[in-house]
Amino acid sequence: MHMKHKSVDCISTFSTDEAEIAVNIGGVKLVLYGDVLNRYPESRLAELINCSTLNYDIIYSLCDDYDPGKREFYFDRDPDAFRCIIDVYYFGEIHIKRGICPICFIKEMEFWKIDQSYLDECCKSDLTEKEEELAEIANKVKLILDDLDVVPSVNRSARYQKFLWKLMEKPESSLPARIIAIASFLFVLVSSLVMCVGTIPEVQMEDDEGDLVEHPTLEAIETACIGWFTVEYLLRFMSSPNKLHFFLSFMNIIDFMAIMPFYVVLTLTYLGTAMMDLAKVQQAVQALRIMRIARIFKLARHSSGLQTLTYALKRSFKELGLLLMYMGIGIFVFSALGYTLEQSHPETLFSSIPQSFWWAIITMTTVGYGDIYPKTTLGKCNAAISFLCGVIAIALPIHPIINNFVIFYNKQRLLETAAKHELELMELQSSEDSMVKATRKSGALGALESSMRTSRSDNSIPLIEESTRTLKSKKYCSETESF
């Protein structure tokens, strides 16, 4: 790079449309004309070509260096990105070429003072997707930094609350947390197994009135499991940083529904007889016991695969909606045809169109119980067509749903890898800053700090800068604690 000169010689034709300037973008030389650059007068190049001929301060504020002898302006920028940006002066829009990071390209547009509205629509969609991915990476980085827990909490109660939250919610944070997660998983399995075994007549016992009831041993195991679930839920609620968000979370609602029937049954059993008939109490108890099946969904809390499948199904609502709409139309059409075609047979099983819905459902879903079936030739042809249409309808959305699952699973793995990579870069950056401070204290290599700052000035990601500052503060706190 050339050093700055204070020569009076400069370009005397900057303020005219016939002026031309030579620019050097990262080693690539270009000649640009004033009539083209002045189409966007607020851009950096237009300001450069219209600046005062003797005002070197403005010139050096707009470019990295200037050679008066060659009349050439130097910019330490990406030449590939500049080739895309220069298109706005000629075509009025910008298209990001393949291989250029959209986030870095936006920084280039900000440097050249080009508004983002000139981006092509396809590039805007790619930019939005990249920003969402970057936000997810930033959130993962913040979660990892929070798990490091180097900075001590403000007070003892906050420190205990954070420790308890990590113990109950983050199995990967420590060995005790992993043990608690495994124990919770086993309690869910045991509770579900007890619920199933308790319905076997050979295992049940007769009460004083001769009715079959659950075995006392199974009831004791069920009580112990509910006690564990209750303590776990209360500890997680007490340690939650956001109580309202915790209470409204879907998985926490499932946990509450798995616990609540047990205590409602106890209340109805010991207090309900005084307010209502015993038969009604028993019916309510049986209905609430069915709600115990909700606890099987607690397994999703400890399985990343089930969570990924849930997110993939959420992203496949459009395909599932099309399937349900197609199946609904087919069920209505084929049930109406089946009822009409079977009316001529004296022993028809199609008594009405609503009753024919059941036949259409089990036929199109390839279940075929055989309780309702056509007896006429045309009715059998209608059944064959409905069967084939059902097979096609079910097979069509399978590939998009599986594809969404694979894409989301691979994306989560890539995001985790990217988050770890960002942490490594942040640690390297913090170590470089420590080295710069050490050299500054020793009074040697003063230019090292400016060169590092220049090399990183355009590579920082705004969404992760806060996480970088957090890592630096944590490292600083750990160093001060060591002193």
Side-chain angles (χ1 to χ4, degrees):
M1 296 296 291
H2 295 275
M3 298 300 292
K4 296 180 180 180
H5 298 281
K6 291 298 180 180
S7 173
V8 181
D9 183 22
C10 194
I11 298 177
S12 60
T13 58
F14 276 0
S15 60
T16 63
D17 288 342
E18 291 79 12
E20 64 181 36
I21 59 173
V23 295
N24 189 319
I25 313 296
V28 178
K29 297 182 181 181
L30 296 172
V31 177
L32 305 174
Y33 298 94
D35 58 342
V36 176
L37 299 180
N38 284 326
R39 294 175 183 175
Y40 300 93
E42 296 181 356
S43 62
R44 181 179 291 268
L45 292 176
E47 292 179 1
L48 185 62
I49 203 171
N50 293 317
C51 72
S52 174
T53 57
L54 298 177
N55 196 336
Y56 280 93
D57 293 334
I58 297 179
I59 293 176
Y60 286 120
S61 66
L62 295 174
C63 64
D64 294 325
D65 202 1
Y66 170 59
D67 188 355
K70 297 181 180 179
R71 294 184 177 183
E72 190 173 77
F73 297 89
Y74 295 90
F75 295 90
D76 189 13
R77 312 300 300 186
D78 184 8
D80 294 331
F82 183 76
R83 290 190 183 96
C84 301
I85 291 175
I86 200 65
D87 289 344
V88 73
Y89 294 99
Y90 296 97
F91 308 109
E93 64 179 7
I94 300 177
H95 184 80
I96 304 177
K97 295 181 180 179
R98 183 176 299 178
I100 299 178
C101 175
I103 304 298
C104 297
F105 189 81
I106 292 301
K107 286 185 171 293
E108 291 292 324
M109 292 184 64
E110 293 175 356
F111 175 80
W112 296 108
K113 299 182 180 180
I114 302 296
D115 193 77
Q116 296 185 19
S117 60
Y118 296 107
L119 272 177
D120 195 38
E121 291 298 329
C122 63
C123 299
K124 288 182 181 179
S125 61
D126 292 339
L127 177 62
T128 303
E129 182 179 354
K130 292 296 181 182
E131 288 178 344
E132 292 177 355
E133 292 180 358
L134 192 61
E136 293 182 8
I137 294 175
N139 291 331
K140 289 184 179 295
V141 170
K142 291 178 182 179
L143 290 176
I144 295 175
L145 290 177
D146 184 66
D147 290 340
L148 294 177
D149 198 18
V150 179
V151 178
S153 301
V154 179
N155 50 37
R156 181 176 298 179
S157 61
R159 186 164 60 250
Y160 288 159
Q161 180 181 1
K162 189 174 183 179
F163 172 78
L164 186 59
W165 175 254
K166 291 172 60 178
L167 190 66
M168 303 303 298
E169 282 288 333
K170 299 181 179 180
E172 68 279 358
S173 61
S174 62
L175 180 61
R178 192 175 296 110
I179 294 175
I180 290 177
I182 295 174
S184 179
F185 180 80
L186 294 177
F187 270 104
V188 172
L189 291 181
V190 170
S191 178
S192 302
L193 182 63
V194 167
M195 182 185 66
C196 297
V197 174
T199 59
I200 301 176
E202 289 77 10
V203 180
Q204 295 176 340
M205 298 182 63
E206 294 185 357
D207 57 4
D208 297 336
E209 298 178 358
D211 297 328
L212 293 177
V213 295
E214 197 170 356
H215 197 278
T217 304
L218 297 180
E219 287 186 354
I221 298 176
E222 173 74 10
T223 304
C225 293
I226 291 296
W228 170 269
F229 297 149
T230 304
V231 173
E232 180 189 26
Y233 183 85
L234 293 177
L235 290 178
R236 290 173 51 244
F237 178 76
M238 287 165 35
S239 61
S240 173
N242 190 339
K243 301 294 190 296
L244 181 62
H245 181 268
F246 176 89
F247 190 76
L248 297 179
S249 176
F250 176 75
M251 292 306 302
N252 293 327
I253 293 175
I254 294 296
D255 293 343
F256 180 78
M257 292 178 59
I259 298 172
M260 181 267 298
F262 178 81
Y263 296 101
V264 175
V265 167
L266 288 180
T267 304
L268 292 177
T269 302
Y270 292 101
L271 302 178
T273 54
M275 297 180 292
M276 61 182 70
D277 185 52
L278 181 61
K280 295 182 179 180
V281 173
Q282 291 177 349
Q283 293 177 359
V285 167
Q286 292 297 327
L288 289 171
R289 282 182 176 273
I290 298 299
M291 293 181 61
R292 293 187 299 174
I293 61 176
R295 70 188 59 173
I296 197 65
F297 293 103
K298 289 170 62 69
L299 295 176
R301 181 184 301 279
H302 309 287
S303 175
S304 59
L306 290 177
Q307 295 175 5
T308 304
L309 179 60
T310 302
Y311 291 129
L313 291 176
K314 288 182 179 179
R315 292 178 176 268
S316 304
F317 275 162
K318 182 179 180 180
E319 291 80 3
L320 294 175
L322 291 175
L323 171 62
L324 293 177
M325 183 181 68
Y326 185 86
M327 293 292 292
I329 294 174
I331 289 170
F332 181 82
V333 171
F334 291 115
S335 61
L337 290 176
Y339 170 76
T340 304
L341 296 174
E342 288 295 311
Q343 287 303 301
S344 60
H345 198 280
E347 298 180 358
T348 180
L349 298 176
F350 295 79
S351 59
S352 64
I353 292 180
Q355 190 264 348
S356 302
F357 286 165
W358 170 249
W359 167 83
I361 292 174
I362 62 177
T363 301
M364 293 192 68
T365 55
T366 70
V367 177
Y369 288 117
D371 53 346
I372 301 176
Y373 58 91
K375 297 182 178 181
T376 64
T377 303
L378 292 178
K380 293 178 181 179
C381 293
N382 177 62
I385 296 174
S386 65
F387 172 78
L388 294 176
C389 290
V391 171
I392 296 174
I394 295 174
L396 283 177
I398 289 179
H399 179 71
I401 294 175
I402 295 177
N403 190 38
N404 289 337
F405 176 82
V406 174
I407 290 175
F408 185 81
Y409 181 75
N410 293 333
K411 181 180 178 181
Q412 292 302 312
R413 295 183 62 182
L414 289 175
L415 290 177
E416 292 177 358
T417 304
K420 293 178 181 179
H421 180 64
E422 287 295 335
L423 286 173
E424 294 175 357
L425 292 179
M426 289 158 56
E427 292 178 357
L428 289 175
Q429 183 176 345
S430 61
S431 63
E432 288 178 358
D433 292 339
S434 302
M435 184 174 61
V436 170
K437 292 179 181 180
T439 55
R440 183 189 298 175
K441 291 179 181 180
S442 62
L445 300 177
L448 179 63
E449 179 183 2
S450 61
S451 64
M452 287 183 175
R453 185 172 59 251
T454 303
S455 64
R456 295 196 306 262
S457 59
D458 297 321
N459 296 328
S460 60
I461 300 176
L463 292 174
I464 307 185
E465 286 180 353
E466 182 180 354
S467 300
T468 306
R469 292 192 296 268
T470 305
L471 181 62
K472 291 181 181 179
S473 63
K474 289 185 176 183
K475 186 172 183 180
Y476 173 76
C477 292
S478 62
E479 291 176 353
T480 53
E481 288 182 352
S482 62
F483 289 135

